[in-house]
């Protein structure tokens, strides 16, 4: 049985990228985007679709980059669209990428953004196939002063806010739970109570999203050839105590797993397991990759 395993990270493998060229300049970029999205999203969810004009030395027209989460979906899309006219009078050329660019390599192991995590989970599991719950969301204040840090610089008040969040993901149909944690802080110029309130609300939202992304990073979606979807975790979710999040949010680190398919039965084995304390939040997630390709 064919098995495809998806992780909640930026897809960088070249077998997940489809390149489309010989697109005639009879439509606008927006119209081409809409047509391509309608065609290729029918094969599976897309991480990215980008329409670009041909290089100056080439005939007028466009090419497009279509990145799937699933290598199987990319392969199927390539087979069924190559040599077809689709939305124009002449045939399109559709090929899988043959090599990786530095943009791909630099994004390796980059977690998906919050929006992409929701999109991928909702597509394969449905809106009722998973739930998220906040276990702890607290402001991590200065332990000595008992309040957010405040400095006076040139007569202007500088504030520093720090929040921590512990989030739980539940997959009721699969009987699985996992948790993620995040800590974010921000320094800013405070010109009044309205600014402080806005910054506090925004930081709370950001830390919730970061914790959810961290929780999704432990999840594997296993796509079976018969159309069914299984959920497995890279780790065993140990019991968390709420009071353990006082100052330090404890989380489990992801561990490698081995997935085996024998006679249609899927087995997932853990290779190792350990736990650690939450470190400062990851850097801001990278923006979608930019390519500069010349297609002949």
């Amino acid at each position: 049985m064919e098995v495809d395993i998806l992780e909640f990270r930026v897809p960088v493998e070249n077998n997940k990228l489809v390149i489309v060229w010989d697109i005639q300049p009879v439509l606008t970029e927006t119209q081409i985007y809409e047509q391509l999205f309608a065609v290729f999203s029918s094969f599976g969810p897309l991480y990215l679709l980008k329409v670009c004009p041909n290089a100056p030395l080439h005939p007028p027209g466009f090419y497009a980059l279509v990145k799937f989460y699933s290598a199987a979906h990319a392969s199927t899309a390539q087979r069924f669209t190559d040599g077809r006219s689709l939305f124009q009078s002449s045939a399109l050329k559709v090929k899988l990428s043959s090599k990786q660019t530095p943009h791909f390599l630099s994004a390796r192991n980059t977690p998906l953004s919050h929006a992409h995590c929701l999109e991928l989970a909702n597509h394969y599991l449905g809106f009722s196939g998973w739930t998220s719950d906040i276990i702890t969301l607290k402001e991590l204040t200065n332990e000595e002063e008992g309040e957010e840090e405040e400095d006076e610089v040139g007569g202007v008040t500088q504030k520093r806010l720090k929040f921590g969040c512990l989030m739980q993901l539940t997959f009721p149909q699969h009987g699985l739970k996992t948790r993620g944690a995040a800590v974010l802080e921000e320094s800013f110029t405070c010109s009044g109570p309205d600014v402080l309130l806005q910054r506090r609300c925004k930081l709370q939202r950001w830390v919730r999203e970061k914790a959810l992304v961290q929780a999704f990073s432990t999840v594997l979606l296993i796509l079976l050839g018969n159309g069914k979807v299984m959920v497995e975790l890279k780790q065993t979710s140990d019991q968390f105590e709420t009071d353990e999040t006082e100052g330090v949010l404890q989380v489990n680190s992801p561990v490698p797993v081995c997935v085996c398919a024998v006679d249609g039965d899927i087995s997932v084995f853990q290779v190792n397991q350990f736990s650690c304390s939450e470190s400062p939040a990851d850097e801001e997630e990278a923006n979608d990759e930019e390519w500069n390709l010349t297609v002949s």
Side-chain angles (χ1 to χ4, degrees):
M1 178 185 295
E2 184 180 358
V3 177
D4 201 3
I5 301 175
L6 304 188
E7 297 183 68
F8 284 80
R9 62 177 179 83
V10 174
V12 297
E13 297 81 3
N14 57 348
N15 61 356
K16 296 180 179 180
L17 176 65
V18 172
I19 304 176
V20 184
W21 66 92
D22 283 356
I23 302 175
Q24 297 177 345
V26 294
L27 300 175
T28 65
E29 282 192 37
T30 300
Q31 291 172 327
I32 293 171
Y33 181 97
E34 293 172 349
Q35 294 287 345
L36 289 174
F37 185 87
V39 171
F40 285 97
S41 63
S42 65
F43 295 97
L46 307 180
Y47 171 74
L48 181 70
L49 171 59
K50 188 176 182 66
V51 179
C52 308
N54 288 342
L57 298 180
H58 288 74
F62 300 89
Y63 69 93
L65 305 169
V66 186
K67 184 186 284 192
F68 288 83
Y69 291 101
S70 164
H73 292 164
S75 177
T76 301
Q78 187 276 327
R79 291 199 312 271
F80 281 90
T81 58
D82 184 34
R84 305 286 183 88
S85 58
L86 298 180
F87 54 87
Q88 61 182 32
S89 58
S90 62
L92 294 169
K93 291 181 181 179
V94 183
K95 302 297 180 184
L96 289 172
S97 175
S98 59
K99 63 180 181 179
Q100 292 179 331
T101 69
H103 294 291
F104 287 106
L105 301 178
S106 64
R108 188 176 299 278
N109 295 324
T110 300
L112 290 179
S113 67
H114 177 261
H116 279 114
C117 284
L118 300 185
E119 178 184 77
L120 193 61
N122 290 334
H123 178 87
Y124 285 109
L125 304 175
F127 292 95
S128 60
W130 64 279
T131 61
S132 62
D133 300 286
I134 298 175
I135 304 301
T136 299
L137 176 61
K138 60 172 60 178
E139 186 170 355
L140 306 178
T141 57
N142 186 292
E143 294 181 357
E144 296 180 358
E145 299 178 4
E147 58 184 12
E148 62 267 3
E149 292 189 6
E150 181 175 320
D151 296 314
E152 197 77 20
V153 180
V156 179
T157 302
Q158 295 288 328
K159 290 259 186 194
R160 186 172 71 88
L161 295 175
K162 187 175 183 179
F163 280 91
C165 181
L166 182 64
M167 183 82 69
Q168 177 170 282
L169 276 178
T170 304
F171 304 92
Q173 299 175 7
H174 303 272
L176 296 175
K177 295 181 180 180
T178 187
R179 294 187 179 185
V183 175
L184 289 180
E185 62 179 315
E186 181 186 25
S187 297
F188 59 94
T189 300
C190 184
S191 58
D194 291 344
V195 173
L196 179 59
L197 179 60
Q198 292 173 1
R199 294 284 184 155
R200 181 176 277 115
C201 293
K202 186 176 294 185
L203 195 60
Q204 286 178 341
R205 175 171 59 84
W206 286 345
V207 77
R208 292 198 305 268
E209 293 179 354
K210 280 287 188 180
L212 189 64
V213 167
Q214 202 280 335
F216 270 118
S217 70
T218 69
V219 177
L220 295 174
L221 296 178
I222 303 176
L223 313 183
L224 306 183
N226 58 9
K228 294 184 179 180
V229 179
M230 294 178 59
V231 177
E232 293 293 346
L233 303 178
K234 299 180 187 179
Q235 63 183 28
T236 298
S237 297
D238 296 331
Q239 294 295 324
F240 288 75
E241 298 295 337
T242 303
D243 56 6
E244 289 180 346
T245 63
E246 187 68 36
V248 177
L249 303 176
Q250 295 189 350
V251 297
N252 284 337
S253 296
V255 298
V257 297
C258 176
V259 181
C260 300
V262 180
D263 297 330
D265 295 327
I266 306 297
S267 300
V268 179
F269 304 96
Q270 285 189 342
V271 178
N272 190 19
Q273 178 186 340
F274 60 95
S275 62
C276 68
S277 296
E278 169 70 2
S279 59
D282 295 333
E283 295 181 0
E284 190 66 23
E285 294 160 9
N287 295 328
D288 289 341
E289 300 90 352
E290 294 289 338
W291 294 274
N292 182 15
L293 301 182
T294 300
V295 183
S296 60

